[in-house]
Amino acid sequence: MSLPTPRVVLVFGADDQAWIRRSSITVPAFWNGHEVPPVQGDVVRFSGRQFTIQGRLWEQDGDSITLKLYMSSAHAPSDTDFGPL
């Protein structure tokens, strides 16, 4: 019996979600095809901003499994610029 591949969903705060929507950014599917799930403390970077995984939540609904990743705010404490926005 094979286990279903979990669907990975990134959850952003309201400000970052508004920025993603306003800028028409497509969040990359970072973990598609990877067998090792992301862990707390992993960092992702896209569109010039960096996010850290602060928490994880596994959910099962019927036969599907979802891993929700709760992301940090994209604002670096030092106002570091990670490239063009």
Side-chain angles (χ1 to χ4, degrees), residues 7-82:
R7 183 173 72 109
V8 178
V9 176
L10 278 61
V11 180
F12 297 93
D15 290 341
D16 293 320
Q17 208 167 17
W19 166 74
I20 291 167
R21 191 174 36 255
R22 236 184 358 265
S23 303
S24 300
I25 294 169
T26 301
V27 178
F30 290 103
W31 285 276
N32 276 2
H34 291 263
E35 292 184 21
V36 178
V39 296
Q40 188 171 342
D42 280 351
V43 175
V44 297
R45 186 181 293 180
F46 60 92
S47 294
R49 296 198 181 178
Q50 180 172 304
F51 301 88
T52 303
I53 298 173
Q54 291 187 318
R56 304 181 331 155
L57 173 69
W58 288 93
E59 293 182 327
Q60 182 177 7
D61 183 17
D63 291 333
S64 67
I65 296 174
T66 302
L67 173 58
K68 288 187 178 180
L69 304 176
Y70 292 88
M71 309 305 289
S72 68
S73 173
H75 304 289
S78 62
D79 293 328
T80 302
D81 182 13
F82 293 115

